């Protein structure tokens, strides 16, 4: 079953930069895909959904800013985190990038360490389920780094899909998600799965959680949520 691994897409035509960035991001635990122009980036996005895009400003076919504006005007991608890479240090260019919806920008030359820190900060801000801090709800603790789940400090055996589902729900407590939303968020936008797949995994998740199963609430005719209430 396709589970979305945290993938970062880099759109950059300067190969040494692509190699440097890929090397350091892979070292930090991400899957890295690279394309070298905006047309290939757009094609990529029709098939795969990265967790974040590193988008160069100067690209051979058209500017990264044009692609950014296309991404932001598409409702499938308007919340996708984007960091602009720019050789320009002019203040007005940074403002233009942020105006078009970039979440952050980083000026070349940058250190891989700085880039990794900026990516982590942005992911923490925009997608708490991919953050590194342990998340708690009632007796339950989910550690996204070690992928461990515990109840009152006792470890719980949990499947990979159930872990991802739980990690998403605990990162967004007190919010109801439809089955369709959970398929998108946990299994990825392009997963071809039936909505009852979600019910199957919710059932397994509750079983795994044992006495903490009360945290996973069914909201009738809507979907599911994690709530301590
Ligand atoms: Ca470039």
């Amino acid at each position: 079953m396709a589970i979305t691994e945290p993938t970062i897409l880099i759109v950059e035509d300067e190969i040494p930069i692509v190699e440097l960035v890929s090397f350091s991001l892979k070292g930090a635990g991400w899957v890295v895909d690279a394309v070298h122009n905006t047309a290939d980036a757009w094609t990529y996005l029709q098939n795969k959904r990265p967790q974040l895009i590193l988008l160069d400003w100067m690209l051979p076919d058209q500017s990264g800013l044009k692609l950014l504006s296309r991404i932001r005007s598409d409702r499938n991608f308007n919340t996708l985190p984007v960091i602009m890479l720019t050789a320009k240090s002019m203040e007005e260019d940074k403002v233009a990038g942020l105006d078009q919806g970039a979440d952050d920008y980083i000026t070349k030359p940058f250190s891989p360490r700085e880039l990794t820190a900026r990516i982590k900060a942005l992911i923490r801000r925009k997608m708490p389920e991919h953050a590194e801090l342990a998340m708690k709800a009632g007796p339950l603790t989910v550690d996204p780094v070690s992928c461990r789940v515990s109840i009152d400090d006792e470890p719980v055996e949990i499947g990979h899909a159930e872990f991802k589902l739980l990690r998403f729900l605990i990162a967004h407590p007190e919010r109801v998600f439809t089955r369709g939303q959970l398929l998108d968020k946990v299994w990825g936008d392009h997963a071809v799965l039936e909505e009852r797949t979600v019910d199957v995994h919710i059932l397994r998740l509750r079983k795994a959680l044992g006495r903490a199963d009360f945290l996973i609430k069914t909201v009738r005719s809507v979907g599911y949520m994690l709530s301590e209430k």
Side-chain angles (χ1 to χ4, degrees):
M1 184 175 303
I3 299 285
T4 317
E5 291 299 339
T7 302
I8 292 178
L9 175 67
I10 175 164
V11 188
E12 165 67 274
D13 57 319
E14 289 161 74
I15 302 306
I17 294 183
V18 172
E19 284 172 354
L20 177 70
V21 167
S22 303
F23 180 77
S24 38
L25 296 185
K26 280 175 188 163
W30 284 293
V31 175
V32 181
D33 287 337
V35 293
H36 312 301
N37 58 60
T38 69
D40 288 350
W42 191 253
T43 306
Y44 176 99
L45 288 174
Q46 307 314 306
N47 300 301
K48 269 184 91 172
R49 188 185 179 94
Q51 261 63 50
L52 185 140
I53 301 181
L54 290 175
L55 177 57
D56 186 34
W57 190 291
M58 303 286 282
L59 290 162
D61 55 343
Q62 58 172 6
S63 84
L65 203 60
K66 284 253 170 64
L67 176 64
L68 177 64
S69 116
R70 191 171 180 190
I71 287 170
R72 284 300 178 246
S73 56
D74 187 310
R75 66 176 191 85
N76 287 321
F77 307 120
N78 55 17
T79 59
L80 195 61
V82 177
I83 296 179
M84 294 289 296
L85 303 179
T86 172
K88 306 180 178 196
S89 52
M90 304 272 292
E91 206 52 40
E92 57 258 41
D93 289 332
K94 292 175 181 172
V95 171
L98 294 174
D99 272 354
Q100 290 288 338
D103 296 289
D104 200 357
Y105 54 82
I106 190 160
T107 308
K108 294 179 201 168
F110 51 81
S111 75
R113 217 170 139 183
E114 183 188 2
L115 179 67
T116 309
R118 297 280 273 277
I119 290 174
K120 283 185 179 168
L122 180 56
I123 288 181
R124 214 158 34 230
R125 199 163 84 227
K126 294 200 78 169
M127 295 180 296
E129 72 271 23
H130 292 296
E132 291 186 347
L133 293 174
M135 295 174 280
K136 285 174 178 283
L140 182 68
T141 305
V142 174
D143 182 342
V145 177
S146 65
C147 295
R148 283 198 187 110
V149 175
S150 55
I151 295 168
D152 294 323
D153 297 325
E154 282 169 43
V156 167
E157 282 289 320
I158 190 165
H160 188 54
E162 288 72 46
F163 176 80
K164 294 221 166 181
L165 182 59
L166 177 61
R167 182 178 65 179
F168 179 78
L169 289 171
I170 200 170
H172 304 89
E174 310 298 333
R175 257 184 74 183
V176 186
F177 293 95
T178 65
R179 291 167 178 80
Q181 285 170 327
L182 290 172
L183 280 179
D184 281 356
K185 303 289 187 184
V186 179
W187 282 268
D189 265 2
H190 303 284
V192 188
L193 293 169
E194 291 176 48
E195 294 200 341
R196 66 187 164 82
T197 305
V198 176
D199 301 326
V200 171
H201 289 287
I202 287 279
L203 200 72
R204 287 188 197 154
L205 175 59
R206 283 187 174 131
K207 214 173 159 191
L209 293 182
R211 65 196 144 90
D213 66 349
F214 69 93
L215 291 166
I216 309 297
K217 307 281 199 282
T218 304
V219 181
R220 264 185 88 171
S221 65
V222 186
Y224 297 103
M225 72 190 287
L226 184 142
S227 172
E228 292 183 47
K229 289 167 197 154

